Amino acid sequence: MFAFAQTLFFIITNPPQDTTYIFTELTLFCNRFEVTNVKTAGIITEYNPLHYGHLALIQAVRQQFGGDTAVICAMSGDFVQRGDFALVRRHARAEAAVRSGADLVLELPLLWAVSSAEGFAQGGVEVLTATGLLDVLAFGSECGDTAALARAAGALEDAAFQTALKAELTKGDSFAAARQRAVAALLSPSDAALLSDPNNTLGIEYCRALLRVGAAPALFTIPRTGAAHDATPENAGGYSASAIRHLLAEGRRADALSRMVPAMRTVYEAEETAGRAPVFAAACERAILARLRSMTPAEFDALDTGHEGVGQRLYNASRNAATLDAVLDNAKTKRYAYARLRRMVLWAYLGLTPAKLPASVPYLRILAANETGRALLGRMRKTARLPVITKPAAIRSLSPDAHRLFETESRAADLYALAYPELTEACGSLWRQNPVMP
């Protein structure tokens, strides 16, 4: 304790002129001595790519809870929730995150990262709560109202909701429309309308997942500003990851780079120079079509968890269409959202089935950490409820579920690399990828 008091006295009585320096030194000091009143905020994210809207959330968290608040991210790997390839590989995006204000980036494992909003949220919440450090769960939303989101989550977990949902599904509309009407019957039309916006929906699913795991961190949300989730470049302003990807696909590189935060821009340019960016599913279109055409009707049915016939629609479409867009268009009805169909196609390409999903996340894998993040890792050795993996070889000593999951991740990473612009870079192995520690 004498060393603690002596160091603190020196910092207070000899303040440097650079306030950024003193905040940084105090933060690192607190983490080294494991001061437990420093808050830890968690963010579930994709950073595909990281832009100024993402940065605004990190900044808002520290403005609300203190400049020394530690930020832990649970981030998707090489594939993302909308059923697509990430623009750049996981370790590159994780590096950009810790250079932009995050302290520690943990992997959201593949089988949850490419799931529905419910599965995505469940996986992210399991990762963050398993650290044993989560004080605050932070996210963006269209409404900016945590109380309203929590109220809607409670309704979705109510037994009466299932009865109302079954009645609405008989009307032949999409699942999303039926769910919204069922919630309106339990709460109000304004509460139900929250489910019509993608970030509100994710926020509600985060709240539901917290109820399931029995965790109660503080909830913090900021209203999403700028573009809608899937806005095109023409109306996207500065805050849409979709718009940035569209710009790159159209060859408007300079415009796209101007919308990334500086660290993301630097990392992206390095990946581009190395022949690993940009990554688009179109580069593997024929391989995906070949996989679809080699599948049996039963294999398609195994992907149809709702047993609604969408597997057969995809099977037929894959035989009669020569592009992925045409496959999706031919299989689409008002009942099936494009995102659901894209995820089914991606699961098919990667050889995934719902039966391969473990009951819960089996480990915490570190993708990147700064000095504060490394101090958090030291604390997690005492608080984490799951094994913490820094070196892939450690997976071999874990449970069969953990080993199978990482093998699945590794195979998927090999398929992802086939979409690199330069195929000579597609020869790495996830088993040799250690965390980024800038």
Side-chain angles (χ1 to χ4, degrees), residues 306-356:
H307 307 292
E308 299 172 299
V310 66
Q312 290 305 300
R313 292 188 64 85
L314 274 174
Y315 172 80
N316 292 331
S318 69
R319 268 68 186 165
N320 299 310
T323 68
L324 285 176
D325 285 344
V327 169
L328 298 173
D329 287 340
N330 288 352
K332 179 80 175 71
T333 71
K334 69 176 182 178
R335 190 173 183 122
Y336 311 128
Y338 275 113
R340 181 184 177 189
L341 295 172
R342 284 195 299 265
R343 282 194 296 272
M344 289 180 69
V345 168
L346 181 61
W347 278 57
Y349 175 58
L350 299 178
L352 308 177
T353 63
K356 290 185 177 180

Side-chain angles (χ1 to χ4, degrees), residues 256-325:
L257 291 178
S258 71
R259 303 184 188 210
M260 299 180 191
V261 299
M264 184 74 246
R265 191 181 313 138
T266 298
V267 167
Y268 175 84
E269 289 176 327
E271 291 294 294
E272 188 179 54
T273 299
R276 295 190 295 263
V279 174
F280 294 113
C284 289
E285 183 171 46
R286 289 194 178 188
I288 297 171
L289 291 170
R291 169 60 182 156
L292 296 179
R293 290 198 178 186
S294 70
M295 291 172 60
T296 66
E299 288 174 314
F300 276 98
D301 284 340
L303 299 173
D304 182 11
T305 54
H307 307 292
E308 299 172 299
V310 66
Q312 290 305 300
R313 292 188 64 85
L314 274 174
Y315 172 80
N316 292 331
S318 69
R319 268 68 186 165
N320 299 310
T323 68
L324 285 176
D325 285 344

Side-chain angles (χ1 to χ4, degrees), residues 4 13 42 47 50 82 103 110 112 120 162 211 336 386 408:
F4 181 100
T13 57
Y47 292 154
L50 199 156
R82 67 194 298 273
D103 296 305
L110 175 68
W112 289 270
F120 178 88
Q162 292 300 329
L211 290 172
Y336 311 128
L386 291 173
T408 300

Side-chain angles (χ1 to χ4, degrees), residues 155-156 158-170 178 182 185-186:
L156 290 172
D158 193 314
F161 166 74
Q162 292 300 329
T163 302
L165 178 63
K166 287 178 182 177
E168 293 294 341
L169 285 172
T170 62
L186 296 177

Side-chain angles (χ1 to χ4, degrees), residues 47-51 85-97 99-100 241 243-280 416 419-421:
Y47 292 154
N48 185 39
L50 199 156
H51 56 66
F85 291 50
L87 184 67
V88 293
R89 61 192 178 92
R90 73 192 82 192
H91 285 88
R93 294 179 359 259
E95 179 180 354
R99 292 187 182 279
S100 300
I244 294 172
R245 296 193 301 271
H246 280 302
L247 288 169
L248 287 168
E250 293 170 358
R252 296 162 62 183
R253 178 179 177 277
D255 197 359
L257 291 178
S258 71
R259 303 184 188 210
M260 299 180 191
V261 299
M264 184 74 246
R265 191 181 313 138
T266 298
V267 167
Y268 175 84
E269 289 176 327
E271 291 294 294
E272 188 179 54
T273 299
R276 295 190 295 263
V279 174
F280 294 113
Y416 171 84
Y420 286 165

Side-chain angles (χ1 to χ4, degrees), residues 49-280:
L50 199 156
H51 56 66
Y52 287 95
H54 297 132
L55 191 59
L57 177 58
I58 295 175
Q59 293 169 338
V61 164
R62 293 199 168 110
Q63 183 177 12
Q64 178 72 19
F65 298 102
D68 58 354
T69 302
V71 174
I72 302 178
C73 296
M75 192 193 77
S76 303
D78 293 335
F79 298 93
V80 294
Q81 198 263 336
R82 67 194 298 273
D84 203 356
F85 291 50
L87 184 67
V88 293
R89 61 192 178 92
R90 73 192 82 192
H91 285 88
R93 294 179 359 259
E95 179 180 354
V98 297
R99 292 187 182 279
S100 300
D103 296 305
L104 177 64
V105 181
L106 307 175
E107 183 173 69
L108 175 57
L110 175 68
L111 298 176
W112 289 270
V114 295
S115 186
S116 64
E118 181 178 353
F120 178 88
Q122 184 70 30
V125 164
E126 287 184 18
V127 167
L128 292 176
T129 56
T131 65
L133 300 176
L134 186 67
D135 297 310
V136 179
L137 180 63
F139 53 91
S141 63
E142 287 83 6
C143 70
D145 185 346
T146 57
L149 298 173
R151 191 164 55 243
L156 290 172
E157 289 296 296
D158 193 314
F161 166 74
Q162 292 300 329
T163 302
L165 178 63
K166 287 178 182 177
E168 293 294 341
L169 285 172
T170 62
K171 299 177 182 178
D173 287 336
S174 68
F175 175 83
R179 180 176 61 171
Q180 190 167 329
R181 288 198 301 267
V183 171
L186 296 177
L187 295 176
S188 69
S190 61
D191 283 326
L194 295 171
L195 289 161
S196 62
D197 294 312
N199 292 284
N200 284 342
T201 298
L202 270 177
I204 291 167
E205 293 299 344
Y206 296 151
C207 294
R208 292 181 70 193
L210 288 170
L211 290 172
R212 294 193 196 108
V213 303
L219 296 177
F220 177 69
T221 188
I222 63 172
R224 182 185 176 93
T225 58
H229 181 67
D230 277 327
T232 60
E234 286 66 31
N235 60 8
Y239 296 147
S240 170
S242 296
I244 294 172
R245 296 193 301 271
H246 280 302
L247 288 169
L248 287 168
E250 293 170 358
R252 296 162 62 183
R253 178 179 177 277
D255 197 359
L257 291 178
S258 71
R259 303 184 188 210
M260 299 180 191
V261 299
M264 184 74 246
R265 191 181 313 138
T266 298
V267 167
Y268 175 84
E269 289 176 327
E271 291 294 294
E272 188 179 54
T273 299
R276 295 190 295 263
V279 174
F280 294 113

